[in-house]
Amino acid sequence: MSLTVASSGRKLNQQAANLLWYRNKKDEGIIFDKFFSLFPMPALALVYTAAKCCIDEWSDGKRVDISFSSGDYREVYDKHLANLKKFDTRTKDHGILAGILTELNNNGRYSGSKKCPNVYAFSGNWRIASQHLSII
């Protein structure tokens, strides 16, 4: 995986997190910081599951509205969550996922509190993560 792809994924993850949990000073990621000090792994799995739904909507080259429901996407969500846990276990000594989750929260809190929707403080975590993705 190239750094460009990893960087694009980082930005998409942050944009999704900002949209859902850090939109303004009254959003959950800002108000409930103690629950988001590490961005929740299940929330990141949900972001990936929503992305899969978006991809499915365009699977034949033309957009078709698909319902994003737990019945249809529970298995996808469970797989993403299991892969994140596996990735975390295999790279725990490097602190990669913890760094990514911390970065998502820190950038989201800054974005929501300042109303700056596109703030991305780069850290080396995504570069290291991209080198380990093949082990999942």
Side-chain angles (χ1 to χ4, degrees), residues 63-80:
R63 187 179 179 279
V64 176
D65 195 29
I66 294 178
S67 175
F68 183 63
S69 68
S70 62
D72 294 333
Y73 284 92
R74 180 63 190 210
E75 191 174 316
V76 174
Y77 170 81
D78 289 341
K79 186 174 181 177
H80 284 303

Side-chain angles (χ1 to χ4, degrees), residues 82-92 96-97 100 125 128-136:
N83 283 335
L84 284 167
K85 288 177 181 179
K86 190 185 305 182
F87 179 77
D88 188 38
T89 299
R90 292 182 179 180
T91 62
K92 197 154 215 71
I96 295 170
L97 189 57
I100 290 168
N125 293 321
I128 296 167
S130 68
Q131 296 167 358
H132 291 279
L133 287 177
S134 63
I135 66 172
I136 296 178

